[in-house]
Amino acid sequence: MRSDDLELLITSGEIEKGVRELGARLTSIYSGKRLVVIPLLKGGFMFASDLVRSMALDIQIEFLGAASYGEQTRSSGEVRLTLDTTLPLKGRDVLLVEDIVDTGLTLAYIQKLIRSREPASLRTVVLLDKRAGRQVDVEVDEVVFDIPDRFVFGYGLDSPGGFHRNLSDIVTVKE
Ligand code: 5GP
């Protein structure tokens, strides 16, 4: 993919500001609590690593991996768990950190799985929300950016084929 074909959607500076503000809000919401933060892999890794560094709390990190995409640019609806947590979540305050919500199918599946482990609380934060793509009603507590119904990548999200996760900005292909 040539860089001329890419359209800049959200700059690294805007991301940094949005993530820092979210970290401050979460710090006050969870004040005095110990938290288990669960980045949802693969896409949530970069967002989560910046977010936890902007939260002044006692945090443990666990990982969940989910895949639903294959080579297409819209969720197949079939979600596969590719990595599971190792700590017990029962009675813990859990924060799920996801890169993007589109149809909502991935988050609905993962939230159901976490709830079945009886955490004391579960909140979900997403960096990007494509509201126009929603197929199931899913609870999202905090959204950093609402975006149009375009396929985006960068800042942890991959382009078709699995590349471009290491871009600092969020981009899309020019229409
Ligand atoms: P959903 O299940 O809500 O349709 O989609 C959630 C998952 O699909 C995300 O975790 C992400 O991996 C992927 N996804 C949805 N929209 C996009 C997009 O625009 N770009 C990329 N790279 N992945 C997306």
Coordinates of all heavy atoms in Angstrom, one line a residue, residues 68-69 73 75 98-107 130 150-153 157-159, ligand 1:
S68 N -12.0 -12.5 14.7 CA -13.2 -12.8 14.0 C -13.1 -12.4 12.6 O -14.1 -12.5 11.8 CB -14.4 -12.0 14.7 OG -14.2 -10.6 14.5
Y69 N -11.9 -12.0 12.1 CA -11.9 -11.3 10.9 C -11.5 -12.1 9.6 O -12.1 -11.9 8.6 CB -11.0 -10.0 11.0 CG -11.9 -8.8 11.0 CD1 -12.9 -8.7 11.9 CD2 -11.8 -7.8 10.0 CE1 -13.8 -7.6 11.9 CE2 -12.6 -6.7 10.0 CZ -13.6 -6.6 11.0 OH -14.4 -5.5 11.0
T73 N -12.9 -7.3 5.7 CA -12.9 -6.1 6.5 C -14.2 -5.9 7.3 O -14.4 -4.8 7.9 CB -12.7 -4.8 5.6 OG1 -13.7 -4.8 4.6 CG2 -11.3 -4.9 4.9
S75 N -16.7 -8.0 10.4 CA -16.7 -9.2 11.2 C -17.6 -10.3 10.6 O -18.7 -10.1 10.1 CB -17.3 -8.8 12.6 OG -17.4 -9.9 13.4
E98 N -10.5 -2.4 24.4 CA -10.6 -2.8 23.0 C -10.3 -1.7 22.1 O -10.5 -0.5 22.4 CB -12.0 -3.3 22.9 CG -12.5 -3.6 21.5 CD -11.8 -4.8 20.8 OE1 -10.6 -4.9 20.9 OE2 -12.5 -5.5 20.1
D99 N -9.7 -2.1 20.9 CA -9.4 -1.0 19.9 C -10.6 -0.4 19.3 O -10.7 0.8 19.2 CB -8.4 -1.6 18.9 CG -9.0 -2.9 18.2 OD1 -10.0 -3.4 18.6 OD2 -8.3 -3.4 17.2
I100 N -11.5 -1.2 18.8 CA -12.6 -0.7 18.0 C -13.9 -1.6 18.2 O -13.8 -2.8 18.3 CB -12.2 -0.6 16.5 CG1 -13.3 0.0 15.7 CG2 -11.8 -2.0 16.0 CD1 -12.7 0.5 14.3
V101 N -15.0 -0.9 18.2 CA -16.3 -1.7 18.2 C -17.0 -1.3 16.9 O -17.2 -0.2 16.6 CB -17.1 -1.5 19.5 CG1 -17.4 0.0 19.8 CG2 -18.4 -2.3 19.4
D102 N -17.4 -2.4 16.2 CA -18.1 -2.2 14.9 C -19.4 -2.9 15.0 O -20.4 -2.3 15.5 CB -17.2 -2.8 13.8 CG -17.8 -2.7 12.4 OD1 -18.7 -1.9 12.2 OD2 -17.3 -3.4 11.5
T103 N -19.6 -4.2 14.7 CA -20.8 -4.8 14.8 C -21.2 -5.0 16.3 O -22.4 -5.2 16.6 CB -20.8 -6.2 14.2 OG1 -19.8 -7.0 14.8 CG2 -20.5 -6.2 12.7
G104 N -20.2 -5.1 17.1 CA -20.4 -5.4 18.6 C -20.3 -6.9 18.9 O -20.4 -7.2 20.1
L105 N -20.2 -7.7 17.9 CA -20.2 -9.2 18.1 C -19.0 -9.6 19.0 O -19.2 -10.5 19.9 CB -20.2 -9.9 16.8 CG -21.5 -9.7 16.0 CD1 -21.3 -10.1 14.5 CD2 -22.6 -10.6 16.6
T106 N -17.8 -9.1 18.7 CA -16.7 -9.5 19.5 C -16.8 -9.1 20.9 O -16.6 -10.0 21.8 CB -15.4 -8.8 18.9 OG1 -15.3 -9.1 17.5 CG2 -14.1 -9.4 19.6
L107 N -17.2 -7.9 21.2 CA -17.3 -7.4 22.6 C -18.4 -8.2 23.3 O -18.2 -8.5 24.5 CB -17.6 -5.9 22.6 CG -16.4 -5.0 22.7 CD1 -16.9 -3.5 22.8 CD2 -15.4 -5.4 23.8
K130 N -17.5 2.6 15.7 CA -18.1 2.8 14.4 C -19.6 2.5 14.7 O -20.1 1.3 14.4 CB -17.6 1.7 13.4 CG -16.4 2.0 12.7 CD -16.2 1.1 11.5 CE -14.9 0.5 11.4 NZ -14.8 -0.5 10.4
R150 N -15.8 3.3 8.1 CA -14.7 3.1 7.1 C -13.7 2.1 7.7 O -13.6 2.1 9.0 CB -13.9 4.4 6.9 CG -14.7 5.6 6.3 CD -14.7 5.7 4.8 NE -13.4 5.8 4.3 CZ -12.8 7.0 4.0 NH1 -13.4 8.1 4.3 NH2 -11.6 7.0 3.5
F151 N -13.0 1.3 7.0 CA -12.1 0.4 7.5 C -10.8 1.2 7.8 O -10.2 1.9 7.0 CB -11.7 -0.7 6.5 CG -10.9 -1.8 7.1 CD1 -11.4 -2.7 8.0 CD2 -9.5 -1.7 6.9 CE1 -10.6 -3.7 8.6 CE2 -8.7 -2.7 7.5 CZ -9.2 -3.6 8.3
V152 N -10.4 1.1 9.1 CA -9.2 2.0 9.5 C -8.1 1.1 10.0 O -8.3 -0.1 10.4 CB -9.6 2.9 10.6 CG1 -10.7 3.9 10.1 CG2 -10.1 2.2 11.9
F153 N -6.9 1.6 10.1 CA -5.8 0.8 10.7 C -4.7 1.8 11.2 O -4.7 3.0 10.9 CB -5.2 -0.2 9.7 CG -5.0 0.3 8.3 CD1 -3.7 0.8 8.0 CD2 -5.9 0.3 7.3 CE1 -3.4 1.2 6.7 CE2 -5.7 0.7 6.0 CZ -4.4 1.2 5.7
L157 N -4.2 -1.3 15.1 CA -5.1 -2.0 14.2 C -4.4 -2.4 12.9 O -3.6 -1.6 12.4 CB -6.3 -1.1 13.9 CG -7.2 -0.8 15.1 CD1 -6.9 0.5 15.7 CD2 -8.7 -0.8 14.6
D158 N -4.7 -3.5 12.4 CA -4.0 -4.0 11.2 C -4.8 -3.7 9.9 O -6.0 -3.5 9.9 CB -3.7 -5.5 11.3 CG -4.9 -6.4 11.3 OD1 -6.0 -5.9 11.7 OD2 -4.8 -7.6 11.0
S159 N -4.0 -3.6 8.8 CA -4.6 -3.5 7.5 C -4.8 -4.9 7.0 O -4.3 -5.9 7.6 CB -3.6 -2.7 6.6 OG -2.4 -3.4 6.5
Ligands
5GP1 P1 -16.9 -6.2 15.8 O1 -17.0 -7.6 16.3 O2 -17.4 -5.2 16.7 O3 -17.6 -6.1 14.4 O4 -15.4 -5.9 15.5 C1 -14.5 -5.9 16.4 C2 -13.2 -6.4 15.9 O5 -13.1 -6.3 14.5 C3 -12.1 -5.4 16.4 O6 -11.5 -6.0 17.5 C4 -11.1 -5.4 15.3 O7 -10.2 -6.4 15.4 C5 -12.0 -5.6 14.1 N1 -12.3 -4.4 13.3 C6 -13.5 -3.8 13.2 N2 -13.5 -2.7 12.5 C7 -12.2 -2.6 12.1 C8 -11.5 -1.7 11.3 O8 -12.0 -0.7 10.8 N3 -10.1 -1.9 11.1 C9 -9.5 -3.0 11.7 N4 -8.2 -3.1 11.5 N5 -10.1 -3.9 12.4 C10 -11.5 -3.7 12.6

